[in-house]
Amino acid sequence: MKNIFIKTMIIVLLTSASACDQSLEEINIDPNYPNPETVAVEYFFPSAVASTAGVIGGDYNLIGGIWSQYWTQNNASNQYKDVDAFIIQPSTFELGFAELYAGALNDLKFVKNRSKADGNWSYYLMATVMEAYTFQVVADLYGSVPFDEALRAEEGLLHPVYREGSVIYDSLIVRIDNALARDLDAETSENPGTADFIFGGDMEKWIQFANTLKLKIYLRQVYARPNVAEAGIEALYNAGAEFLSEDAAMTQFVDQQDKSNPLYEQDQRRLNTPNNLRASTTLFAYLEANDDPRLSELYQPGTPGQPLRPLRQGDFNAPNSGATLATGLARALLRPTDPVYFISEPESYFLQAEARERYFGGDEAKELYDAGVDAAFDRFNLNGGSFTDAGGAYAYPVAGTFEEKLEQIILQKWVAMAGAQGLEAFFERNRTGYPAANIVDGEWVDYGSAGWEPGKTTYPIEGVSENERLPRRLLFTDYERTRNPNTPNQMPFTTPVWWDVNPNSQYF
Amino acid sequence: MKQILLSVFLGISLACPVLAQDRTISGSVTSAEDGAPLPGVNVVVKGTTTGTVTDANGSYTLQVPTAGTTLIFSFIGFVTQEIEIGARGSIAVKLAPDIKELSEIVVTAIGVERSEKSIGYAATQVNSKELTQGRAVNPMASLQGKVAGVNISTASGAPGASTKVIIRGYSSIEGNNNPLYVVDGVPINNAANSNLHDATNVDINRTQDYGNRANDINPDDIESITILKGASATALYGSRAANGVIMITTKKGNADALRVDVTSSVTFSQPLRLPQFQNTFGQGWSGIFASEENGSWGPRMDGEMRFWGNTVDNARLIKPFSPVKDNLRDFYETGTSYINSIGISGGNDKGTYYISYGNVQEDGVIPSGADAYERNTLSVRGSTRGSKLSTSSGINYVNKKANIVTTGQGSDAATVFQEIIQIPRDISIVDLKDINYKFNNLDNYFTKYAQNPYYPVLKNGNDYNEDRVYGNFSVSYAFNDWLNATLRVGGDVSNAQVKDWIAIARTSPTSPNFDVTQTAGRVDERSRFASELNGDFLVTAGHSFGESIKVNSLVGVNINDRKTNNFHAYVTELGIDDFYNLSNSPNPPASTRVASHRRLLGVYGQIETSYNDYLFLNVQARNDWSSTLPPGGNSFFYPGANLSFVFTEAMDLSGPLSFGKLRASIGQTGNDADPYDVYSIATPGSVSLPHGDIIFPLSGVNAYEVYNELGNLNLQPEITTEYEFGADLRFFNSRLNIDATYYNGLTRGQILKVDIPFTSGYSRRISNIGKVRNSGIELLISGVPVRTENFSWEMSANYTKNVSRVEELMDGLDKVTLNEIYDLNYVAKVGKPLGMIQGYDVERDPQGRVVVNAADGFPKILPDKVDFGSTVPDFTLGFSNTFTYKGVGLSFLFDYRHGAWMYSYTRHLNFFVGNATQTLYNDRQPFVIPNSVINVGNDDQGDPVYVENSTPIDMENVNSYWYHSQNPSRGRDFLVEKTFLKLREVVIGYDIPKHILSKTPISALNVSVVGRNLWLWTPKDNNQVDPEASNFGNDLMSELGEFAVGPTVRSMGFSIKATF
């Protein structure tokens, strides 16, 4: 009897021991997800580009689109009232900031590190350019951001310090130049093919993107550090740099849930109502005054078949009846397949036109300006030729002063960026002061009052900012303030960032 | 029949040799006090394991081997008697009550049975009657308010909803705080199928609670539940028992005649607490009537006839502009619950068997069958007993079917509890029931800001179907009279299929509601598999050193292996209406599979020493090796010891004290990590948008990204060190009993996914971060104030105070954010109880006056959030009374909880839509914030200058004032105090006298009227929700509050219980 029991025990124990052939360590290897070290860079790069696109083309296009006065908050819903009225909290758009660091920049760093080790210089250049592009956006939006100490949690560096934007700018140029200097034709440089959402693996275009980005970085600081800007741009041209002649954009969106243009997805498909964004009178009146056919490409009727009618910026408390009956107000026309532009074709031409005017006596500036306007119309398959012809509504002021030319360039850049590159238009207004403000004798002029001009920035009807100043930056986020003790003290969102020193844009 | 059954059940255990038996002794056992027969008395042949127990009439029959000369009769609360058999064939015994000998048997860790007096820690045992008298569907709900130190809440009144059981407070910040459930010595799976998300990372979107698995046990199958609370009590169970152990002992059958128990009950339920609304102002916004609004910020209701809703076919509806006071209550129906069970048991001295079947059918209070629950349980158990070898085995099958109403925030579709709040006070809800009526359909429903609440109820839904088998087998071999070995193997396998669907909801381009979001429809299919295998091999040995010292020791090894495997697939943009299948979409289904596997190996040992049967010392230790910890650091050791001193037996005390025991214990337990927290991973590429996502593959390109959670190669287990002291004092022959415990536990190294700045490249890092102390007092006072021949009054009160404190967080952090809802943060903060709610506060001048914006009179907000309140209650109190007169019994139980705060979205949304009574402040007229100032610049020293504010909150902004988006400081209004008093259970029962039953086959019959949660009191300001309700799972996160959860219910019904 005792023997039977002991034999049984031995059999049972042997059976259970055979179940233990996996070591405890092996059991703890996640079968659901790969180890990043085993995944090729071609899998990381597209998700990084999509993360940057998701924010730049999503939340940042939204905040920029409202602050650049393409759109205003509907008067029969509430979603973006705070943005429109300048009630800015540290939590305002903090998700986007988080996504850019932990969704885009971290993966770009992974791609950079791996491709550098492998001599895979095509990926190294692409990742460097996307990284520089993304860092510039956050630096411009927050003034200072974590940079060299950022993205290093695996080294135990959990609380990166913030660096002033000018320091970041200098480093970005160095990084881009470093990547451009590599041998893109090396055997170890892989052709990314379809993993490159932007140019399908065409490295010539990535070089153009890098050069255009450098031009944008230099021009941004033209008032704060004119010598740096001038030296940099002259060096670019002296080296025979080529610039973008097509959009640097992510175009892979389809009309399907979870696969669409980010602003369409978040504002139209997934929000409880798609009517929050109404046409702002500011841009609407300008297009209308100039008979610009882009009006019906940027806006759609509030109810099918009705005429287009705008709402004054920030007039979200207007009665939902009569002339401001919400269902009669034009809505933003967003499409699920709209690309997200990093640097658009018209933008490239306008940047070059400005550089030509500033440093090369205006040589080719008009042609570049005209090409910018044409490209902007061409996005909608429209012909803008008559607008830039002499006497046309948008004709280049060949005989005008530099400032008049600059205003024309930036104003058309503002129109070209409508609906697609709102944040960039907002930065450019802060840099240049254009579109100019509807201010007479130091006071904001209301819509339709004496002195009001279409196409000029207006103070939102329900705006509540201190001294009626416009926003110039976002506040350091709550996430950062609660998690990172190195977050600097909060500055008012009306305080300009380091390059925002042009007296022309400081309206008061 | 009995023989057939018996042989069937013997068959499932090991066959065992039948030993030669010589003669049969029979007789009866009665109480020496009143002559009543005593059922359940143990009758054992001295020096052997041969024995039986008396039946319901106190009779026994026993076959005594030739060698047997003496019978031992023992029974709880009576003096044990030894009687020489001599030549007698029949022995009748009268047992005398023994108040001092309260040697109640308590099942301790690893299934070891011990007399209560030898235990040096607090252990509470609850018997079958207390578990079943209230006719709760799940066993833990029936313990509410009955056990000190244990906080039990049901998540909602929905059928099948989860139950939360927390013993001695929360110690793990992000890990599991649920106790380990052990059935007949084998751990079972208690995973909560709530939310279908990660249990700790609670998502407010479309929360769904299909219950936790401990709820699968048929309460009628349970013999007793023992709750082990402290570290010393639970240490032998290893790292899984760090939060206490609920040990469930099931009915096994007695060596008795065939016995059949039948129980049947029906109960009816209604919402216990619904929000109380204002009845002054009607539909509209900013004080103006607007027929498309989803709120009651309109004008004062004047009873005038008004058109309402949309114009359809050139017609409009008309109704008086007056409150429909009970519109919400009228929405609900009476819920029903039927519980039926049958148990058949019996056996003889060689073995026992028990078979039971239970059926539960519930339909909840939501109209239609959208909330329903059906559970079928089948249990088969048997045991054999030989002189050397004994076996026992049990197998249980459970089938659960549920349809539940989705709660929380609708992300892909509306959820009923969110929509139902957005109905103005002057609109009747039940009149919206016909969703095809042209004024009620999607196109023309009166508001475009919300959906007809009947639409999600009638059109969206789900089916949950789970099969589960769990059971155990154990075999023991007695080598001799002091050495015994046991092998116990248990398994628990479940597989659930969940299908959830959202109907297509589109509005016509020409309809008033055209601009609402068009819902494209969605189908989700999930398959959720879980298995758990557990094996223990243990050897016990006992030895006496002389008369006074006895030593029992135990060594064992344990292996525990758990797996889950979950498949999930869904499609959106459905084509065919009302057809829910993954094929019904132009898009391919998105699918994921998530599997997990973990294993724990342990060795443990225990030495118990007793001195003269009044001093007991128990020392134990266990070492675990866990697969979830990094190699090299996956071994952890925890010792424990406890001491019990029955001083009333050690010294001869006269006076009122009839029994007194002091106890002390100290112990450690550990909690390992979740699987896969050690190594970093890459996850499929996706971009989170504020609403929606971008998910790869995109345009034929697949992508991965570095996962934002950083693994930790140096992860260590959480270790709790706890000591406790207690006393068990009984006075006046147990007419008054006091049991008091003080405990103090420190848990260090909490494994936490700590939020780190996104700028570090990650969002979280898994770390050993914290130190949390829980200390407290558990007090149980019970007594029998009155006991006469026909009448008795028993009462019992338990008091629990748990003080929780986060002592330290590593990495120089002073707080860790656990969750965020709107502007509120749920944090673990150093120096505060675990679980603080924080939010924005107004700016104040040096005199404490509120600083407001000159422009609109709204308060200015401080940038940093302040503490709003703790979610940990100050204390809880249970108070029960039982009155018995002849066969009639009345018992009732009050449950009180004091203090703490929770977030309530129900309240939040009622503020937003102006239905909350609190929004009547100042009759909604413009007002200047009392004691407010404006800043008019700085003085010469640069200090701000404040002058009294005269800018009122404009009438059209009054509603914005009460809402957080324009006035973040009002986030505080969305908290409610958790204090409540509940009449938890009322039972009026009648035992039909035996003489009436004597001519029937029925040997005992009880009929009862039962009520649960009949009455709820809360502080005046909480007129919205039951503070127990939550849809944030059943762990720490649930203390944060609720997000559009359904109401809890009160129930009343009838129960009949018969024994044949």
Side-chain angles (χ1 to χ4, degrees), chain A residues 177 214 218 228-241 360:
Chain A
D177 285 344
K214 282 175 71 181
Y218 286 128
V228 173
E230 182 169 1
I233 291 168
E234 283 180 353
L236 255 180
Y237 276 87
N238 290 341
F360 303 99

Side-chain angles (χ1 to χ4, degrees), chain B residues 77-251:
Chain B
F78 289 83
V79 176
T80 299
Q81 280 197 39
E82 296 191 10
I83 294 186
E84 296 269 329
I85 302 171
R88 285 178 286 182
S90 165
I91 298 174
V93 177
K94 285 181 191 296
L95 290 184
D98 177 8
I99 296 306
K100 284 191 179 176
E101 187 60 33
L102 288 151
S103 57
E104 216 167 313
I105 298 300
V106 173
V107 184
T108 64
I110 316 290
V112 177
E113 295 187 356
R114 288 287 172 256
S115 68
E116 190 181 357
K117 69 180 181 182
S118 73
I119 295 174
Y121 47 78
T124 308
Q125 187 157 329
V126 183
N127 64 26
S128 139
K129 183 175 184 232
E130 282 183 82
L131 287 168
T132 55
Q133 65 174 10
R135 302 315 290 159
V137 167
N138 74 70
M140 295 316 292
S142 54
L143 291 184
Q144 284 178 309
K146 292 177 182 167
V147 186
V150 184
N151 176 6
I152 304 173
S153 303
T154 41
S156 77
S162 321
T163 312
K164 171 175 66 179
V165 178
I166 299 297
I167 297 174
R168 290 186 176 171
Y170 294 90
S171 60
S172 189
I173 299 176
E174 214 159 61
N176 177 23
N177 285 288
N178 276 274
L180 176 67
Y181 289 81
V182 174
V183 176
D184 296 332
V186 177
I188 60 160
N189 179 341
N190 179 41
N193 272 324
S194 54
N195 296 348
L196 301 175
H197 303 294
D198 176 357
T200 53
N201 188 12
V202 175
D203 188 336
I204 55 173
N205 288 324
R206 293 187 66 74
T207 52
Q208 300 183 332
D209 179 2
Y210 297 100
N212 54 318
R213 289 195 168 117
N215 286 355
D216 293 352
I217 301 168
N218 175 1
D220 290 314
D221 264 5
I222 298 176
E223 183 72 44
S224 68
I225 292 182
T226 305
I227 297 167
L228 302 178
K229 297 178 237 182
S232 173
T234 64
L236 283 193
Y237 276 115
S239 64
R240 300 185 57 204
N243 309 303
V245 179
I246 307 289
M247 303 222 316
I248 296 171
T249 305
T250 60
K251 291 176 180 166

Side-chain angles (χ1 to χ4, degrees), chain A residues 197-199 209 246-252 339-344:
Chain A
F197 277 165
I198 302 174
F199 299 120
F209 187 5
E246 67 174 81
D247 296 319
M250 177 170 165
T251 56
Q252 282 73 7
V340 169
Y341 301 96
F342 300 116
I343 293 182
S344 64

Side-chain angles (χ1 to χ4, degrees), chain B residues 4 41 44 63 170 180 222 265 313 419 524 537 562 805 831 844 863 883 913 1004 1024:
Chain B
I4 295 171
V41 176
V44 182
Q63 292 202 299
Y170 294 90
L180 176 67
I222 298 176
S265 67
D313 301 338
E419 302 313 292
D524 287 69
F537 179 65
R562 284 174 278 166
R805 189 167 185 271
R844 291 178 189 274
F883 300 95
V913 299
Q1024 277 96 1

